[in-house]
Amino acid sequence: MHASPAARETEVTVTAAFIELPQPKRTSLSESVADSIAEAIAMRLIVPGERIVEATLVEKLGVSRVPIREALKVLHAQGIISGVGHKGYRIAEFTQRDVQQLMEVRLGLEAFLLRDAIDIWRKGKGSPAVLDAVIGRMYASAKTDSLSSSLAADLDFHRTIRNVAENAIVGTLWDTIARHVLIVFNLERFRDGDLYAIPRQHEKLRDWIVAEVAKPETDLADVRRALEDHMFLVARRRS
């Protein structure tokens, strides 16, 4: 059944109206605040069990209470903080079981993302060389002994793969655990004390990726094994 001319005209008008709407920014102020709080937790500037004081955040971050409250709601929904807003939030404790479950979920999601990224690079849309700049930041962080910069670069390495993969559903799921991963990186010390070990580990994974791109196809099981070796290298060595 065909739509009437009037209906088609209305549809075109509505579509045109939406096209003219200003495009939303990728990161809102509240999301930026949530990232800052997550980084503070990762750096142990705020420790598990500690009460979050809005007034302190307003002073330290230089923003109003509104984006801070929105950020706290997001972090609460993600399980990074606990409590009730009007009674106050506290930094959640991450048990060993929580960490294990997080790493298992992360491994599953990143296996799909890396497989898809390799396939895109294999088709000639960019190359794994895009990872070199992030590894360079890791070396710069090691040179200045900056753990916070190393944490951020480590996460950005995997975020780069997430973006290249062009897998909207899995990418969105990865985004929801990115702050957890940042916190666990430091709270559980899933890394060497020597910050130079971090870029070397990522160079090893990058070299594996480059070799896979040169192959006609990549098996998901192989991707998962490579990521497992990468993610749990330090944890196994210290167990």
Side-chain angles (χ1 to χ4, degrees), residues 5 19 37 44 50 79 97 233-234:
I19 291 175
I37 297 173
R44 295 185 180 237
E50 184 176 341
R97 185 168 182 267
L233 178 63
V234 175

Side-chain angles (χ1 to χ4, degrees), residues 5-37:
R8 286 198 298 270
E9 182 178 353
T10 300
E11 181 180 345
V12 170
T13 301
V14 171
T15 302
F18 273 99
I19 291 175
E20 293 173 0
L21 286 175
Q23 295 300 299
K25 296 180 180 180
R26 288 181 60 84
T27 304
S28 66
L29 180 56
S30 60
E31 287 291 324
S32 180
V33 169
D35 288 339
S36 295
I37 297 173

Side-chain angles (χ1 to χ4, degrees), residues 101-146:
Q101 290 175 339
L102 172 64
M103 298 303 283
E104 289 174 352
V105 170
R106 181 191 175 198
L107 177 60
L109 295 176
E110 291 203 12
F112 288 116
L113 293 171
L114 181 52
R115 178 202 61 186
D116 292 350
I118 289 172
D119 186 54
I120 285 176
W121 284 322
R122 183 180 291 124
K123 293 175 180 176
K125 297 173 62 178
S127 79
V130 70
L131 300 171
D132 293 346
V134 189
I135 293 175
R137 285 170 49 203
M138 294 178 192
Y139 274 114
S141 300
K143 186 176 182 179
T144 59
D145 197 30
S146 175

Side-chain angles (χ1 to χ4, degrees), residues 133-197:
V134 189
I135 293 175
R137 285 170 49 203
M138 294 178 192
Y139 274 114
S141 300
K143 186 176 182 179
T144 59
D145 197 30
S146 175
L147 178 58
S148 61
S149 296
S150 179
L151 287 168
D154 194 331
L155 192 61
D156 282 347
F157 180 95
H158 298 275
R159 181 179 284 111
T160 299
I161 294 172
R162 171 254 187 269
N163 292 337
V164 170
E166 297 181 359
N167 188 325
I169 294 176
V170 178
T172 298
L173 293 173
W174 185 91
D175 290 342
T176 64
I177 66 168
R179 293 186 183 111
H180 295 77
V181 171
L182 178 68
I183 292 169
V184 165
F185 274 171
N186 200 30
L187 292 185
E188 290 299 316
R189 293 295 193 269
F190 276 100
R191 52 182 56 247
D192 281 278
D194 175 15
L195 291 185
Y196 281 101

